Amino acid sequence: MKAKNSWPVWSVLVLAFTFSSLSAAQTQGGENEDSRWFTVDSLNTGLGEAPEEAVRVTPRESMRSFLDLTEQEEYEEAAHMLNLSELSDDEQREQGQELARQLAEIFQRGERISVDNLSGREDAVIEDPAGQNPRVGETRRNIELASLRADGETYDIRLARYRVGDDDPVWLIMPISVSYIPMLYEQFGPSMLEQYIPERLQSSFGLLRLWEWVAIPVFLLFVSIVGWGIHRLFGVMSNWLPAGAFRMFAGQIGMPAALIVISLFTQMLLDYVVSFSAVATTTFRVLLIGIFAWCAGTIALRFVDTLMLRMTRRLVGEIDDTKPKDDRKLLTSLYALRRIIILVTVTGVSVYILGQIQIFESMGLSILASASVLAVLVGVAGQAVLGNIVASFQLSFAKPIRIGDLVIFEDQWCYVEGIFYTYIRLRTWDERRLIVPVTYFTSKPFQNLSVKSIKMYRYVELTLHLSADIELIRDKFVAFAKEEDDVIEHHKLLCYVTAQTDTAQTVTCYLMTSDPMAGWTAEMHVREKLMAFIRDNHPEWWPREVMVISHQDVARGAKVKRSAEVGNSEGKASE
């Protein structure tokens, strides 16, 4: 009885096992069709049969057909490239061609579609000959055509692959993207001014419409006039400020501030007044972002320069090693901050512009290959420049030298006046300027006379006769040294005989000075006073040469000479 009642259960289990085995075999033997297209019951039934001009087999052919049809203003045929399944049949007939026209305008003004970059395969398989893309060989059933921003939100226009029953799959604009078209058209559609442009000027000529070839120069001229007026206004306002660093700062930022106002004004015109084609709009936006970033960085640099100027003036004139060490450190850090602002500004603007023009994609290079090529080119062509830049940052942060330090570089006394990207500016004692590459400076030994203390020993060296009175010279040296204001620590005044020859002795006098340059002056004064004392009171102390005329005794030689003279005179008399 139980056996007879259990046979239906076994039959169900056998059928389930068989079905699961077949499903597993299908999954292992080929790709699931759902990953290659979207299966739908119907497509655009309200539009009727698709025309022959509407080729929808691949993403490239589908978008090429759409652009060709809309350029010929055949919007009813172009509507077959849209998936209007969210609309009823009547709405498809009524709104289809208008939606196609609006989408064409969005592509024309918002983001121009590059058909050649789309896949030419029916399954849109990702192809990468370089093998850098991890998704290479993957089949896609939808791809992104454009990503546009409107009202602070991002909206994607995507192309998807659909199949009805046993028909061939086709590529159409997805329904969710179709729903975005009216809103994006409000953002990127024609402006109010275009209502007054004649129809004959609406046709395209090259990348732009005919009216845009005239309107863009006029637009630029108008913006330039506004910018000139703003620059003049900044100049007048800067004259109202009291004389000083801030007045100079206001005068220096006139041009970048005017450019910032121009960029914001131009952006407002592009958003609310006039709308150009995608090529012109994208170019304008990239330039405006670049100008805005460059001007903001320039104003920041001018602000740092103003701080540096005020600090230098507060330190009374030119910076040198007699000023407080903390002030010199701060000035050095400001120079480093200036270079950081420049580097960040240039890098940020360059990255943004390269991202906008998609240089790597247009060249067909992968990111890794591009980075490798650029690294090699930069390494070879810019090795010296990059080395100087890295060395300048190293000097600014490690601070083996500071702005205002007194250094002896290649036997020249110099003050460090500035540390820049690729060079160091040194001011010599005679007001000359040495421009030294940073890497050259760091590769050479130099003396930093200000690294610990600006005090410095100086010495006066005199060469005198052996008969000179050292005690008297020592007393005079101490007296003269104490008269100098720049000589400090009088208990360290020293005077000794440091060398001797057969006819002279070297007397060296040491004195401690407040700073190297003042010490040089004090050394000169003490030397002059000692020389004047010896010249006026003891000229016999000057060293003198001894010349040997004869090895015979001087007295005997004189007597012989006189006898000879007497003999000669007597001989002449007898004659």
Side-chain angles (χ1 to χ4, degrees):
M1 185 68 179
K2 291 182 180 180
K4 292 181 180 180
N5 293 335
S6 61
W7 70 266
V9 177
W10 285 104
S11 300
V12 172
L13 291 176
V14 170
L15 291 175
F17 179 79
T18 304
F19 178 79
S20 62
S21 299
L22 292 175
S23 299
Q26 181 180 1
T27 303
Q28 295 175 0
E31 184 181 13
N32 189 356
E33 291 184 349
D34 292 340
S35 65
R36 292 182 291 171
W37 53 67
F38 294 98
T39 302
V40 294
D41 297 331
S42 61
L43 277 175
N44 299 338
T45 55
L47 299 180
E49 293 293 331
E52 296 181 358
E53 297 85 352
V55 182
R56 304 177 294 178
V57 179
T58 68
R60 182 184 300 169
E61 293 298 332
S62 179
M63 289 310 303
R64 180 179 287 127
S65 299
F66 178 81
L67 296 178
D68 290 342
L69 291 172
T70 53
E71 186 176 356
Q72 299 170 11
E73 298 185 357
E74 297 178 0
Y75 301 114
E76 185 176 356
E77 289 78 2
H80 288 274
M81 307 300 172
L82 311 179
N83 187 346
L84 305 175
S85 58
E86 298 294 330
L87 304 178
S88 64
D89 291 350
D90 294 337
E91 291 174 336
Q92 291 178 9
R93 285 190 294 271
E94 295 173 1
Q95 303 179 21
Q97 58 180 348
E98 178 63 18
L99 289 173
R101 187 189 67 81
Q102 292 182 359
L103 182 60
E105 289 286 343
I106 294 171
F107 286 153
Q108 181 73 17
R109 301 170 184 270
E111 182 172 342
R112 194 173 185 87
I113 301 299
S114 179
V115 176
D116 294 336
N117 290 336
L118 297 176
S119 175
R121 293 175 57 107
E122 296 180 8
D123 52 4
V125 169
I126 298 177
E127 298 177 316
D128 184 13
Q132 302 296 333
N133 194 328
R135 298 178 58 191
V136 62
E138 179 179 334
T139 300
R140 294 177 294 177
R141 60 177 180 175
N142 69 89
I143 59 176
E144 179 182 308
L145 292 177
S147 182
L148 303 171
R149 291 186 62 84
D151 298 329
E153 299 291 336
T154 302
Y155 299 93
D156 294 337
I157 304 297
R158 304 189 69 88
L159 197 65
R161 194 182 188 198
Y162 298 95
R163 185 178 186 183
V164 179
D166 296 331
D167 296 341
D168 294 332
V170 294
W171 287 89
L172 306 176
I173 301 294
M174 297 183 69
I176 185 65
S177 299
V178 172
S179 66
Y180 298 152
I181 292 177
M183 179 174 47
L184 293 175
Y185 185 74
E186 290 292 331
Q187 177 73 23
F188 298 100
S191 62
M192 295 182 296
L193 293 178
E194 293 186 49
Q195 298 176 2
Y196 305 98
I197 298 176
E199 186 68 25
R200 64 178 179 273
L201 297 180
Q202 296 284 352
S203 59
S204 298
F205 181 74
L207 297 177
L208 304 176
R209 292 181 172 89
L210 288 175
W211 68 270
E212 290 177 332
W213 290 104
V214 179
I216 290 177
V218 175
F219 178 79
L220 294 176
L221 179 61
F222 173 72
V223 170
S224 300
I225 294 174
V226 174
W228 178 81
I230 295 173
H231 181 259
R232 294 287 296 176
L233 179 62
F234 270 98
V236 173
M237 294 175 60
S238 64
N239 293 330
W240 294 346
L241 297 174
F246 285 106
R247 181 175 181 178
M248 183 180 298
F249 171 70
Q252 290 178 342
I253 66 171
M255 179 61 72
L259 290 176
I260 287 179
V261 175
I262 288 175
S263 63
L264 296 176
F265 178 69
T266 305
Q267 186 66 51
M268 183 188 68
L269 292 179
L270 293 175
D271 290 338
Y272 302 105
V273 179
V274 63
S275 178
F276 296 117
S277 298
V279 175
T281 302
T282 302
T283 303
F284 274 128
R285 294 188 189 279
V286 172
L287 290 177
L288 292 177
I289 292 295
I291 291 173
F292 186 88
W294 178 81
C295 293
T298 301
I299 292 176
L301 287 177
R302 295 292 182 264
F303 181 73
V304 174
D305 290 340
T306 302
L307 292 180
M308 295 168 62
L309 178 62
R310 282 181 58 85
M311 183 177 178
T312 303
R313 290 182 175 178
R314 182 167 59 86
L315 294 175
V316 188
E318 295 180 337
I319 185 76
D320 55 39
D321 62 342
T322 61
K323 307 308 183 289
K325 185 182 297 185
D326 292 339
D327 292 337
R328 290 185 280 124
K329 283 184 177 180
L330 177 59
L331 194 58
T332 305
S333 300
L334 288 176
Y335 267 88
L337 178 62
R338 187 180 190 274
R339 296 195 298 278
I340 291 175
I341 293 174
I342 294 176
L343 184 62
V344 170
T345 302
V346 173
T347 302
V349 172
S350 300
V351 169
Y352 179 82
I353 293 177
L354 290 177
Q356 290 295 315
I357 64 178
Q358 298 178 348
I359 185 171
F360 298 124
E361 292 183 8
S362 62
M363 294 176 63
L365 300 175
S366 65
I367 296 178
L368 182 60
S370 302
S372 302
V373 172
L374 289 177
V376 172
L377 293 178
V378 171
V380 174
Q383 182 177 6
V385 175
L386 293 177
N388 282 317
I389 292 175
V390 173
S392 69
F393 278 110
Q394 180 183 0
L395 287 178
S396 299
F397 293 114
K399 293 184 176 63
I401 57 172
R402 298 176 297 270
I403 306 298
D405 280 0
L406 178 62
V407 298
I408 300 179
F409 180 71
E410 294 187 342
D411 298 330
Q412 297 200 61
W413 288 52
C414 311
Y415 283 110
V416 180
E417 198 173 51
I419 303 174
F420 301 95
Y421 263 119
T422 57
Y423 65 90
I424 297 176
R425 188 173 65 209
L426 305 176
R427 185 180 79 244
T428 61
W429 65 274
D430 56 354
E431 296 300 324
R432 292 179 295 114
R433 298 300 189 272
L434 296 181
I435 307 300
V436 184
V438 182
T439 53
Y440 181 81
F441 183 87
T442 55
S443 64
K444 299 291 183 179
F446 61 90
Q447 297 182 45
N448 190 341
L449 304 180
S450 310
V451 64
K452 287 293 183 181
S453 173
I454 59 175
K455 297 188 301 181
M456 186 179 184
Y457 259 121
R458 303 292 300 180
Y459 64 90
V460 178
E461 194 173 74
L462 299 175
T463 302
L464 302 175
H465 193 267
L466 293 174
S467 61
D469 187 350
I470 302 303
E471 289 298 330
L472 180 57
I473 293 175
R474 182 178 293 116
D475 294 339
K476 288 297 179 181
F477 162 71
V478 172
F480 294 150
K482 290 182 179 180
E483 294 175 358
E484 298 293 326
D485 295 335
D486 295 321
V487 176
I488 60 176
E489 300 182 12
H490 296 163
H491 63 283
K492 293 185 178 181
L493 295 173
L494 305 173
C495 184
Y496 297 106
V497 176
T498 55
Q500 176 189 358
T501 64
D502 293 341
T503 58
Q505 59 183 339
T506 301
V507 180
T508 306
C509 304
Y510 298 91
L511 62 159
M512 178 68 74
T513 58
S514 58
D515 64 86
M517 293 303 294
W520 183 83
T521 304
E523 174 192 335
M524 302 302 108
H525 290 168
V526 172
R527 179 181 288 109
E528 290 175 357
K529 293 178 180 180
L530 285 175
M531 291 177 63
F533 170 75
I534 296 172
R535 182 184 65 247
D536 296 339
N537 298 280
H538 299 281
E540 70 276 7
W541 288 356
W542 295 125
R544 49 190 180 271
E545 295 290 338
V546 177
M547 181 179 294
V548 178
I549 300 176
S550 174
H551 292 289
Q552 297 180 356
D553 184 78
V554 176
R556 182 182 177 187
K559 183 177 180 181
V560 171
K561 182 178 181 181
R562 286 196 298 271
S563 299
E565 291 176 352
V566 172
N568 291 334
S569 62
E570 290 179 352
K572 290 180 180 179
S574 62
E575 291 177 359

